[in-house]
Amino acid sequence: MNGDAIELSIIAPAFLAGVIVLLTHIPLGALVLKRGIVFIDLAIAQIAALGVILAGIADLEHAWAMQLCAGLAAVLGAFLLTWTEKRWPDVQEAQIGVLFVLAATGSLLLLAHNPHGGEHLRDLLAGQILWVRYDQLLIPAIATVVIALLVFRRPLAGVGFYLVFALAITISVQLVGVYLVFASLIIPSLGVRSYPARRRLPLAYAVGICGYAMGLVLSLVFDLPSGALIVWMLALLAIPTHAVGARRHRVPKPAKVVAGAFDH
């Protein structure tokens, strides 16, 4: 097997994992921007990561067990955020931030005496997308299709929004890490917000797919962390995309554009 074939065997499943993540995260990211709760993805992703850490502490090393713990943690976080939104809706973004920092510092405390804690935490944050295998993608792919059908076929609100969001984050956080979860949700949607509604979804997918492809290739070429490079490629593509859209499409009410989402 030559070098090109080896590199393709590494990039192909990683790229497919990125496409699976983008399938649900781009429309969900638009909903997040519309609702004005940008940091919910970081909070839920960090809570899911906390679930993975708790599974490791309990010696639940099987992939399904860790996925279950991550899912349960994320769903509990979703129910908590649903309750806080009903109780104190005027400070929901602040409550999301508090939940994120509690989950993040809780992870640090749980891993404080683990000799490999720093490495484990780095993997959860930055991800290990280059090491994803095809056999890891079957269940996430099936679950992603189900979630995508829910997202596209009916408007999500209340507890339904938080639960679907939590499940989508649970699937993606172990594939690509917390940083890429946030970047996949927010950056493409920000980049296309100045375009007409009918063009935002395909353009956001183009930004996301090209960003993942470029980041993965460059990470192999320069031997740099793939997750970090993908985040930067997403941003570098989203910036000129937004600039072109802002120049060509003059919108009379910019405040609505900033908070806009993909119209169904």
Side-chain angles (χ1 to χ4, degrees):
M1 182 180 291
N2 58 36
D4 291 340
I6 293 173
E7 290 182 357
L8 182 61
S9 70
I10 295 173
I11 287 181
F15 178 72
L16 184 57
V19 172
I20 289 172
V21 168
L22 290 170
L23 181 62
T24 55
H25 283 39
I26 285 191
L28 284 173
L31 291 174
V32 164
L33 288 178
K34 183 178 181 179
R35 294 167 68 100
I37 47 174
V38 173
F39 293 105
I40 183 177
D41 47 345
L42 276 178
I44 295 294
Q46 192 66 60
I47 292 169
L50 184 62
V52 174
I53 292 171
L54 288 170
I57 291 174
D59 292 326
L60 303 174
E61 298 294 339
H62 294 290
W64 65 267
M66 300 189 83
Q67 191 76 15
L68 179 62
C69 289
L72 287 174
V75 168
L76 287 174
F79 277 118
L80 179 59
L81 289 175
T82 302
W83 179 74
T84 59
E85 186 177 48
K86 292 178 179 178
R87 189 75 183 269
W88 304 287
D90 54 321
V91 290
Q92 179 69 348
E93 182 74 353
Q95 292 169 141
I96 290 170
V98 171
L99 193 59
F100 163 73
V101 78
L102 286 173
T105 52
S107 299
L108 290 174
L109 291 172
L110 289 173
L111 293 173
H113 299 296
N114 186 326
H116 304 291
E119 181 181 351
H120 189 41
L121 188 60
R122 184 189 65 209
D123 289 345
L124 285 171
L125 293 174
Q128 290 290 318
I129 189 172
L130 276 181
W131 305 114
V132 171
R133 304 183 310 273
Y134 284 116
D135 60 300
Q136 295 175 267
L137 299 178
L138 179 59
I139 293 177
I142 295 171
T144 294
V145 170
V146 174
I147 292 170
L149 290 174
L150 292 174
V151 172
F152 283 111
R153 298 185 77 176
R154 63 174 62 184
L156 296 175
V159 67
F161 168 77
Y162 285 111
L163 285 176
V164 170
F165 195 90
L167 292 174
I169 295 299
T170 301
I171 292 167
S172 60
V173 73
Q174 292 189 71
L175 287 177
V176 300
V178 174
Y179 296 153
L180 265 179
V181 166
F182 180 82
S184 300
L185 278 160
I186 300 303
I187 294 177
S189 295
L190 280 177
V192 303
R193 72 188 192 277
S194 58
Y195 288 83
R198 69 183 183 278
R199 299 187 60 190
R200 292 176 198 163
L201 187 59
L203 281 173
Y205 276 122
V207 169
I209 290 170
C210 291
Y212 269 84
M214 293 170 61
L216 287 169
V217 171
L218 290 175
S219 69
L220 286 180
V221 172
F222 295 105
D223 192 25
L224 290 171
S226 53
L229 268 175
I230 293 170
V231 171
W232 274 87
M233 291 303 104
L234 289 172
L236 290 176
L237 288 171
I239 291 170
T241 300
H242 171 68
V244 171
R247 181 177 300 176
R248 292 183 178 178
H249 306 284
R250 302 289 181 180
V251 181
K253 295 180 180 179
K256 288 188 178 181
V257 175
V258 172
F262 306 129
D263 293 342
H264 294 282

